[in-house]
Amino acid sequence: MKHQIDGHTKLLGVIGDPIEHTLSPVIHNTLNEILGRNCVYVPFHVKETGLRSAVLGAFDLNVFGMNVTVPHKNAVMDVLQEVDEVAKAIGAVNTLVRSENGYKGYNTDMEGLQRALHSDGISLKNRTVVLLGAGGAAKAVAYMCIQEQAKAVYILNRTLEKAKAIAASMNEWFHCNVMQAMTLEEAGSLPQEPWIVFQCTSLGLPPHTDAVVIDDGMFYQNVEIGVDLIYNPAETRFMHLVKEAGGRAYNGLKMLLYQGIIAYELWNEVSVTEQQAETVYDRLYETLHGTGDNLVLIGFMGCGKTTIGRELERQYGYAFLDTDAYIERRLGKSISRVFEEDGESYFRELETAVLQEMIRTASHCVIATGGGMPMRRENIRLLRELGHVCYLTVSEQGVWERLKDSHDRPLLECEDPRARIRDLLNEREPVYRQAAHVIVQTENRKPEEIAEIIYQNRTGCESNESISSERTKY
Ligand code: NAP
């Protein structure tokens, strides 16, 4: 639900210098929308000299929460009523929460990364962790590693003194001796066991996306899990090297997501669900990577994706592609045989690979997708990156009428295909809705009419209607 700005609208914001590239408004305004809050979140460009008056002024203007970003995360602490203990230890505040006489400062970067790791099933307990970099972000990561009970934490930095300062302050704060500082050149003397590595330097950011802090392939042999705090590009060279050596790699987008969600929870005293978090993540992803100029047709088998795709090709000059046909051509066998000989999960892997390839290669195409394609969470993001996603709806009766004599649908080769259609439709319908930019009802409509509706509404994908359950419907 969207609100008009009125006399009750509350104000949230972020201060930084520069601020133009911030993604925080995407996070918070999406949450405002999903949760139906009459609230707006805006960026404020605040210079160092104006920091004090900006924070005091925001309080007087009744701004009820603020984020703080580079370069003010440390200096802002002097202007606050109170600073949370964790933020004090990290020496940086990124969230201001209103209290009676001023703002209280928190650091949600640390907990944001913690929540991101948990959501990916990564535990640091008793693990050897390596931190590359010793800037502002590395300190929050260092805190989190010790709090999560890592066995040993090695912090490697170009400037050794900065790494030493973080190690000393963390060991002192936690009354332990878990952290040790080293230069980058000393990486060869790290203990030879599997590591979890956090890439906390700014190397790899655009325009130097090929840069990486350690290029030696030997280093990556020990990296079981590599987390790059950078989120744009989606795969950094560091991540590529981790994967090439057989490790798992993650970027920093989830950290960004959860630091925002935690701030939002602090301001609003709400709990954001995992499903809501996923919607925000999808919106962030789309903002970063855009949406291609293709039309993507999704929906249950028999909903008419091929017929309507061909119609869009005929009427509007799109090139028609079909993901199932693409896979069949690649493997030289039918989808039924792939299911039979290689299993469904192998087929789903292929679908993801095909989407990734099409994102790189397809332009001005209409793409008919397999009915189960959006069931993989990762595929929803890829589908929306590929193009404007149109869900073609069909009823159980409609599917039955169209497919009852068909023999090339492996999922319907069972004793009671009608019941199977019902079950699958119930399972898939909410996922199709979530994946779609637009929903088009197909029954009792001619293909020309449906193609025209899709074509006429193809540019609405950036509209806000597309993110909640209230999709644009035709
Ligand atoms: P910072 O304080 O400026 O620290 C930069 C770090 O990178 C320092 O350790 C610096 O080493 C190192 N570095 C820079 N250029 C280098 C080079 N040519 N060779 C070797 N090391 C180099 O930055 P930060 O605030 O910690 O941010 C670090 C990264 O984390 C950024 O890419 C930022 O975008 C990302 N980040 C992501 C999130 C998220 O939510 N995902 C949150 C915060 C930060 P020296 O100390 O020797 O200069």
Side-chain angles (χ1 to χ4, degrees):
M1 184 170 55
K2 283 206 274 178
H3 282 280
Q4 294 284 351
I5 291 179
D6 60 20
H8 299 279
T9 303
K10 287 187 165 184
L11 188 57
L12 290 166
V14 54
I15 54 176
D17 178 23
I19 200 65
E20 291 74 17
H21 301 299
T22 178
L23 285 171
S24 292
V26 177
I27 301 177
H28 297 286
N29 289 319
T30 303
L31 286 169
N32 286 335
E33 195 178 323
I34 297 173
L35 297 167
R37 300 257 158 174
N38 185 0
C39 185
V40 287
Y41 182 102
V42 290
F44 295 108
H45 188 181
V46 174
K47 302 241 180 230
E48 225 168 312
T49 47
L51 180 62
R52 170 170 287 274
S53 52
V55 173
L56 299 178
F59 188 78
D60 286 342
L61 284 169
N62 202 27
V63 175
F64 88 104
M66 301 262 274
N67 280 133
V68 181
T69 187
V70 179
H72 306 312
K73 286 184 175 188
N74 182 273
V76 77
M77 291 164 91
D78 295 337
V79 197
L80 303 178
Q81 182 74 11
E82 198 184 341
V83 177
D84 171 68
E85 288 302 301
V86 176
K88 257 188 217 160
I90 295 170
V93 156
N94 75 333
T95 301
L96 310 187
V97 178
R98 208 180 163 81
S99 61
E100 210 178 320
N101 299 314
Y103 291 110
K104 177 170 177 181
Y106 292 86
N107 185 306
T108 67
D109 280 337
M110 190 286 291
E111 215 185 314
L113 179 58
Q114 198 169 35
R115 237 199 249 185
L117 295 181
H118 291 174
S119 85
D120 285 319
I122 300 169
S123 165
L124 303 186
K125 193 165 180 183
N126 295 326
R127 297 299 307 262
T128 295
V129 180
V130 178
L131 266 56
L132 302 175
K139 212 164 171 193
V141 180
Y143 187 102
M144 191 240 2
C145 292
I146 304 185
Q147 199 185 54
E148 289 282 289
Q149 299 172 34
K151 179 174 75 178
V153 184
Y154 297 90
I155 180 163
L156 280 59
N157 197 40
R158 178 177 63 178
T159 314
L160 181 62
E161 292 65 39
K162 279 160 87 179
K164 276 186 172 166
I166 294 181
S169 83
M170 288 299 143
N171 285 337
E172 189 187 334
W173 180 268
F174 285 99
H175 307 293
C176 66
N177 203 15
V178 168
M179 242 186 129
Q180 200 178 313
M182 299 165 97
T183 62
L184 292 164
E185 291 70 31
E186 286 173 309
S189 62
L190 285 165
Q192 292 302 308
E193 57 187 58
W195 311 318
I196 297 178
V197 180
F198 292 93
Q199 198 303 108
C200 313
T201 77
S202 41
L203 277 183
L205 282 172
H208 307 294
T209 50
D210 271 349
V212 66
V213 66
I214 294 183
D215 213 354
D216 179 0
M218 282 304 289
F219 174 82
Y220 294 89
Q221 295 302 319
N222 287 63
V223 185
E224 186 184 326
I225 296 171
V227 181
D228 200 326
L229 265 54
I230 293 174
Y231 46 78
N232 188 26
E235 183 170 307
T236 58
R237 179 149 169 74
F238 168 79
M239 290 168 65
H240 175 78
L241 289 167
V242 170
K243 283 185 183 172
E244 205 174 53
R248 287 184 353 233
Y250 301 84
N251 67 30
L253 194 58
K254 272 198 181 172
M255 174 181 175
L256 179 82
L257 167 79
Y258 284 111
Q259 63 74 31
I261 285 178
I262 295 162
Y264 194 89
E265 289 176 336
L266 283 169
W267 295 325
N268 292 286
E269 295 177 344
V270 289
S271 202
V272 174
T273 65
E274 273 315 293
Q275 204 186 355
Q276 289 162 341
E278 277 177 7
T279 305
V280 182
Y281 184 87
D282 289 347
R283 179 52 86 87
L284 276 175
Y285 189 90
E286 251 176 80
T287 307
L288 276 171
H289 304 292
T291 295
D293 67 345
N294 304 295
L295 295 173
V296 182
L297 307 181
I298 63 166
F300 204 70
M301 57 185 110
C303 70
K305 287 167 290 193
T306 305
T307 311
I308 292 158
R310 289 284 182 206
E311 192 58 37
L312 281 157
E313 179 178 52
R314 192 182 68 76
Q315 281 194 56
Y316 301 106
Y318 285 87
F320 179 75
L321 295 174
D322 179 309
T323 57
D324 281 354
Y326 199 88
I327 291 173
E328 285 181 335
R329 260 201 318 278
R330 269 289 167 81
L331 299 186
K333 55 183 171 184
S334 68
I335 300 294
S336 300
R337 265 189 60 207
V338 179
F339 265 69
E340 224 175 271
E341 294 174 11
D342 310 293
E344 185 174 345
S345 61
Y346 175 71
F347 175 69
R348 300 288 171 218
E349 294 280 339
L350 287 176
E351 284 190 314
T352 302
V354 165
L355 284 183
Q356 284 163 337
E357 191 172 318
M358 285 184 173
I359 286 170
R360 287 195 301 275
T361 55
S363 175
H364 205 67
C365 293
V366 54
I367 299 151
T369 59
M373 182 75 93
M375 299 309 287
R376 228 182 190 210
R377 178 82 214 141
E378 183 184 359
N379 289 356
I380 294 186
R381 269 193 294 282
L382 295 173
L383 287 164
R384 290 171 71 95
E385 188 177 347
L386 183 58
H388 189 56
V389 180
C390 315
Y391 167 32
L392 307 180
T393 69
V394 63
S395 67
E396 178 196 327
Q397 179 65 23
V399 178
W400 179 244
E401 287 302 325
R402 292 176 195 179
L403 297 185
K404 63 182 180 224
D405 300 320
S406 149
H407 296 291
D408 60 349
R409 306 283 176 168
L411 286 174
L412 297 188
E413 276 160 29
C414 59
E415 228 169 72
D416 188 351
R418 181 92 197 229
R420 182 91 174 115
I421 290 172
R422 191 176 317 122
D423 291 348
L424 280 174
L425 259 177
N426 284 340
E427 184 193 349
R428 291 181 178 182
E429 163 84 355
V431 182
Y432 290 143
R433 285 182 178 276
Q434 198 192 350
H437 289 109
V438 290
I439 299 170
V440 184
Q441 202 271 106
T442 61
E443 270 160 295
N444 303 318
R445 272 179 165 159
K446 293 199 173 85
E448 311 80 282
E449 188 190 346
I450 299 169
E452 191 186 342
I453 293 170
I454 292 172
Y455 183 73
Q456 295 302 343
N457 293 286
R458 71 194 181 286
T459 52
C461 56
E462 293 86 12
S463 78
N464 288 338
E465 286 100 345
S466 65
I467 56 145
S468 67
S469 55
E470 294 176 30
R471 295 292 194 274
T472 318
K473 297 189 191 86
Y474 300 96

